[in-house]
Amino acid sequence: MSAFIQSKSESVKLSSPFDQKYFDQWYRQRSKRVSTLDSAQRKATLAIAVAEYYLERPVKNVLDIGCGEGQWQPILRKLRPGIQYQGIDPSAYAIKRFGKKRNLTLGSFSDLPKQKLAKMYDLIICSDILYYVLEPELKRGLQKIANHLRGIAFLEAYSSDEKLEGDVQGMLPRSVGDYKRVFKQTGFISCGSHCYVNQSLAYRVTAMERGIV
């Protein structure tokens, strides 16, 4: 199991800016990288498939919170040509380099309630950032996601009980029980493999499909 930051909440003290050196290290340096195009492709394919399974139609739009350089954008566009993608990340470098090309805007999970979002999204991605967010911000952000979700949220998170590699500085210890409680409070129901529905699609998730929440 590996973890890396695509973005962190500003409430967590950062060890380095999200500049090109940072992304080169964690995305491209062979000895340290914990994300590759192949791994991102597998995650994107999974998220699209699960969303379309429950929506019973193709995914039309996507919100990617903590998107980094927008690594998922070209993958999603290849999987579903014409898909609308919106990425949010606190890296000024990523926004300057890829903002126009991949539709990325400056922002973070912690200020998500203030972000201007589309009314609803078929797929909302929040990959490898939840364990850097303080609980009050986590609740507010998850509630915002739930309010704008009509399909699947890919909420990738790992508990403090798991062995993680990568940029682990600043990670907040949070147990499985902690995640279960916060996710339940914000109305999410697990349907497996980091995928969640909100209450609007809860009726479509059978008892045997439900995961830890």
Side-chain angles (χ1 to χ4, degrees):
M1 196 73 69
S2 62
F4 72 105
I5 302 178
Q6 289 183 319
S7 71
K8 286 182 182 176
S9 166
E10 285 90 351
S11 62
V12 178
K13 184 177 180 180
L14 303 181
S15 59
S16 62
F18 300 121
D19 54 12
Q20 182 173 352
K21 182 179 179 181
Y22 176 89
F23 286 96
D24 285 344
Q25 176 179 341
W26 296 110
Y27 285 76
R28 290 178 279 272
Q29 188 173 331
R30 189 174 296 273
S31 63
K32 290 188 175 182
R33 66 184 182 184
V34 288
S35 176
T36 65
L37 289 177
D38 285 343
S39 64
Q41 171 102 25
R42 288 191 290 271
K43 290 181 183 182
T45 302
L46 168 69
I48 285 284
V50 176
E52 293 183 349
Y53 173 79
Y54 287 102
L55 287 169
E56 298 183 310
R57 61 167 175 78
V59 167
K60 298 178 181 178
N61 65 346
V62 176
L63 173 65
D64 190 351
I65 305 163
C67 63
E69 296 176 324
Q71 185 185 42
W72 284 44
Q73 192 266 3
I75 297 171
L76 292 169
R77 284 285 179 89
K78 186 175 181 180
L79 290 170
R80 296 293 181 272
I83 198 170
Q84 297 176 16
Y85 175 94
Q86 178 183 357
I88 298 174
D89 197 83
S91 169
Y93 151 76
I95 303 307
K96 182 179 180 180
R97 182 173 180 182
F98 294 103
K100 186 175 181 179
K101 181 179 181 180
R102 297 180 177 176
N103 195 31
L104 315 183
T105 58
L106 195 64
S108 69
F109 191 96
S110 62
D111 64 21
L112 188 59
K114 301 176 184 178
Q115 290 285 334
K116 184 177 181 181
L117 305 178
K119 187 175 182 181
M120 301 297 281
Y121 294 90
D122 292 340
L123 172 61
I124 298 180
I125 303 159
C126 195
S127 179
D128 287 319
I129 64 172
L130 297 183
Y131 26 70
Y132 300 103
V133 183
L134 295 174
E135 187 161 322
E137 296 171 343
L138 180 63
K139 289 181 180 179
R140 289 193 293 268
L142 287 174
Q143 190 61 67
K144 181 77 169 182
I145 291 172
N147 292 341
H148 287 267
L149 181 66
R150 65 181 163 212
I152 288 295
F154 183 80
L155 306 175
E156 189 174 22
Y158 303 104
S159 75
S160 54
D161 299 327
E162 304 192 67
K163 184 177 181 181
L164 303 177
E165 298 176 352
D167 189 353
V168 297
Q169 184 173 348
M171 289 182 65
L172 301 173
R174 192 169 285 136
S175 69
V176 171
D178 292 333
Y179 279 116
K180 289 174 66 174
R181 174 175 47 80
V182 175
F183 281 23
K184 185 175 182 179
Q185 288 173 349
T186 49
F188 285 103
I189 295 171
S190 173
C191 49
S193 299
H194 301 299
C195 295
Y196 298 81
V197 299
N198 63 9
Q199 294 300 316
S200 67
L201 277 181
Y203 72 97
R204 294 221 56 218
V205 185
T206 69
M208 293 300 292
E209 288 176 307
R210 297 185 183 219
I212 65 170
V213 178

